[in-house]
Amino acid sequence: MDLLKWSKRPAAGVGARNPGVNILRGLVARATTPLLPDDYLRLANPLWTARELRGKVVDVVKETTDTATVTIRPGWGFPASYEPGQYVGIGLQIDGRWHWRSYSLTSIGSERDKTISITVKANPDGFLSTHLVDGVKPDTIIRLAAPKGDFHLPQPVPGQILFVTAGSGITPVIAMLRALAARGETPDICHIHSAPTRDDVIFLDEMEALADDSSAYHLNLQLTREMGKFDAARLDEWVPDWRERECWACGPPALLDALESHYEAGGLRHRLHVERFTIARTDHGGEGGTVHFAVSHKEARIDGATTLLEAGEKLGIAMPFGCRMGICQTCVVPLAGGYVRDLRTGVERREGERIQTCISSVSGDCTLDL
């Protein structure tokens, strides 16, 4: 073995922008074995580790009574740039257990600003979202997953755009709007946003200021307690040329389902780009049963509507995940035994097949090598 390979070997698999850094890490690791230099650096600064992506909470600012923007300073290895509209994985340790969820980035990514931000709406049934809005404190160390997702504007940006958002569905779109403003791009944008009342509109002041400052941005607020819920059939009234626009939509499942049906009926499904925060669950769930996690030596009895991913996380198992909606394939694992059922389609999978834990539930007992 030559000297260069011998020097690098202890740091193999540790990311570094400059390959020479791993030579230095490797040499130091030879002197500190069995620990790596990262083990010592992490004692000085928790963000100085290349084994996993980490971040530190810088600030938490309330946007509405149940929504807050969390600003995070990422540590080593986090991408310097990403596409506005993408999401990031957030891991937070609460009472000794790591909880993971994905949230849309509301920051736009730049070399100048080394922080990222997410804007979270507290969900009564969402343990982590509630904690992020009302419980997390500055200086808290969190785990991160790299930005992912296809919900972003293409290059070049279309000249005519329609945004349809509701509630926290504004979060990926506000990042797109901020990025366009930062780049000085002014496509013709019609934006329909729904919320129960003005007090519930996240980023209300920012969107209204943008509408006042730019003749190219047209904001249509639908306050549902006064005006009723979004009705796709009224697009002709609100945006007469909607058929000519590329549309990006994010919001509750009912709104997105209605939009998809409307666009499909008009033969325009290719113009609609949708981001869902939850999987489209149907009545195709499994019959329930026990999921066995063979490597972790844990098991859980769950109903046919609970996903395998959710079951594993409740047990404190480090489950692989990404979008949590059956799109990105990050959570795919082989089914070691038994049967599971796809919550979206009802298709049953059996031992030996590869399954997505974020959209699958037990159909009788099953075993995963996790």
Side-chain angles (χ1 to χ4, degrees), residues 184-253:
E185 297 185 57
T186 56
D188 179 14
I189 299 174
C190 288
H191 185 181
I192 302 172
H193 180 71
S194 298
T197 69
R198 283 182 63 86
D199 289 340
D200 297 307
V201 179
I202 309 169
F203 309 123
L204 174 62
D205 291 344
E206 184 174 354
M207 289 190 292
E208 289 190 328
L210 182 59
D212 290 340
D213 294 341
S214 173
S215 60
Y217 176 70
H218 313 279
L219 177 63
N220 180 349
L221 281 181
Q222 294 294 307
L223 304 179
T224 57
R225 287 186 187 170
E226 302 174 17
M227 308 173 183
K229 292 186 177 181
F230 172 85
D231 183 358
R234 297 185 64 187
L235 277 179
D236 281 320
E237 172 189 342
W238 293 327
V239 189
D241 62 350
W242 66 271
R243 294 173 181 82
E244 302 167 19
R245 296 173 179 269
E246 290 290 314
C247 178
W248 280 263
C250 185

Side-chain angles (χ1 to χ4, degrees), residues 285-289 304 308 338-341 348-349 361-366:
E287 63 188 55
L308 301 174
Y339 295 84
V340 302
R341 192 179 298 273
E348 194 169 73
R349 306 291 183 185
S361 187
V362 290
S363 185
D365 294 352
C366 74

Side-chain angles (χ1 to χ4, degrees), residues 279-291 300-308 310-311 339-348 357-366:
I279 63 173
R281 298 176 191 252
T282 67
D283 58 357
H284 295 305
E287 63 188 55
T290 300
V291 53
R301 178 78 183 176
I302 61 174
D303 59 33
T306 300
T307 67
L308 301 174
E310 292 166 340
Y339 295 84
V340 302
R341 192 179 298 273
D342 189 314
L343 289 173
R344 305 167 304 172
T345 65
V347 173
E348 194 169 73
T357 61
C358 74
I359 55 167
S360 299
S361 187
V362 290
S363 185
D365 294 352
C366 74

Side-chain angles (χ1 to χ4, degrees), residues 5-53:
K5 290 182 179 179
W6 181 86
S7 300
K8 286 183 177 179
R9 174 168 286 187
V14 178
R17 293 182 182 180
N18 184 347
V21 172
N22 272 351
I23 298 176
L24 179 59
R25 278 184 179 149
L27 290 171
V28 175
R30 290 287 181 183
T32 60
T33 300
L35 300 178
L36 284 173
D38 283 352
D39 296 310
Y40 295 96
L41 290 172
R42 194 163 47 185
L43 294 176
N45 187 329
L47 301 184
W48 290 353
T49 174
R51 291 184 178 180
E52 62 186 10
L53 295 178

Side-chain angles (χ1 to χ4, degrees), residues 2-314:
D2 63 41
L3 181 61
L4 182 60
K5 290 182 179 179
W6 181 86
S7 300
K8 286 183 177 179
R9 174 168 286 187
V14 178
R17 293 182 182 180
N18 184 347
V21 172
N22 272 351
I23 298 176
L24 179 59
R25 278 184 179 149
L27 290 171
V28 175
R30 290 287 181 183
T32 60
T33 300
L35 300 178
L36 284 173
D38 283 352
D39 296 310
Y40 295 96
L41 290 172
R42 194 163 47 185
L43 294 176
N45 187 329
L47 301 184
W48 290 353
T49 174
R51 291 184 178 180
E52 62 186 10
L53 295 178
R54 289 188 171 195
K56 178 188 287 187
V57 175
V58 175
D59 199 10
V60 181
V61 177
K62 279 293 187 76
E63 301 287 352
T64 67
T65 56
D66 61 355
T67 307
T69 292
V70 182
T71 302
I72 301 161
R73 184 174 301 281
W76 285 353
F78 193 86
S81 62
Y82 44 84
E83 294 289 344
Q86 290 187 309
Y87 59 85
V88 65
I90 301 291
L92 185 63
Q93 191 174 37
I94 305 171
D95 297 331
R97 179 176 295 177
W98 285 96
H99 300 262
W100 284 89
R101 288 294 182 272
S102 296
Y103 295 99
S104 294
L105 287 155
T106 47
S107 51
I108 61 176
S110 70
E111 291 292 340
R112 183 179 304 175
D113 186 0
K114 301 300 183 182
T115 63
I116 62 173
S117 66
I118 58 172
T119 301
V120 182
K121 182 179 177 64
N123 183 335
D125 299 322
F127 180 77
L128 183 55
S129 66
T130 301
H131 192 82
L132 285 169
V133 172
D134 294 318
V136 72
K137 303 296 183 185
D139 296 329
T140 299
I141 300 299
I142 63 173
R143 291 177 179 173
L144 298 170
K148 295 181 180 179
D150 299 323
F151 190 75
H152 56 80
L153 296 175
Q155 290 294 335
V157 174
Q160 292 180 294
I161 294 173
L162 171 61
F163 289 136
V164 180
T165 56
S168 60
I170 183 60
T171 51
V173 168
I174 199 68
M176 297 181 195
L177 290 171
R178 289 170 175 173
L180 290 171
R183 297 196 297 257
E185 297 185 57
T186 56
D188 179 14
I189 299 174
C190 288
H191 185 181
I192 302 172
H193 180 71
S194 298
T197 69
R198 283 182 63 86
D199 289 340
D200 297 307
V201 179
I202 309 169
F203 309 123
L204 174 62
D205 291 344
E206 184 174 354
M207 289 190 292
E208 289 190 328
L210 182 59
D212 290 340
D213 294 341
S214 173
S215 60
Y217 176 70
H218 313 279
L219 177 63
N220 180 349
L221 281 181
Q222 294 294 307
L223 304 179
T224 57
R225 287 186 187 170
E226 302 174 17
M227 308 173 183
K229 292 186 177 181
F230 172 85
D231 183 358
R234 297 185 64 187
L235 277 179
D236 281 320
E237 172 189 342
W238 293 327
V239 189
D241 62 350
W242 66 271
R243 294 173 181 82
E244 302 167 19
R245 296 173 179 269
E246 290 290 314
C247 178
W248 280 263
C250 185
L255 180 148
L256 299 179
D257 291 345
L259 266 180
E260 287 181 336
S261 296
H262 195 69
Y263 271 75
E264 285 173 359
L268 297 168
R269 183 61 182 84
H270 62 285
R271 287 194 177 275
L272 178 63
H273 314 274
V274 169
E275 178 81 321
R276 293 180 181 270
F277 288 161
T278 59
I279 63 173
R281 298 176 191 252
T282 67
D283 58 357
H284 295 305
E287 63 188 55
T290 300
V291 53
H292 303 271
F293 296 93
V295 175
S296 304
H297 303 291
K298 295 181 179 181
E299 62 181 40
R301 178 78 183 176
I302 61 174
D303 59 33
T306 300
T307 67
L308 301 174
L309 175 60
E310 292 166 340
E313 289 179 334
K314 286 181 180 178

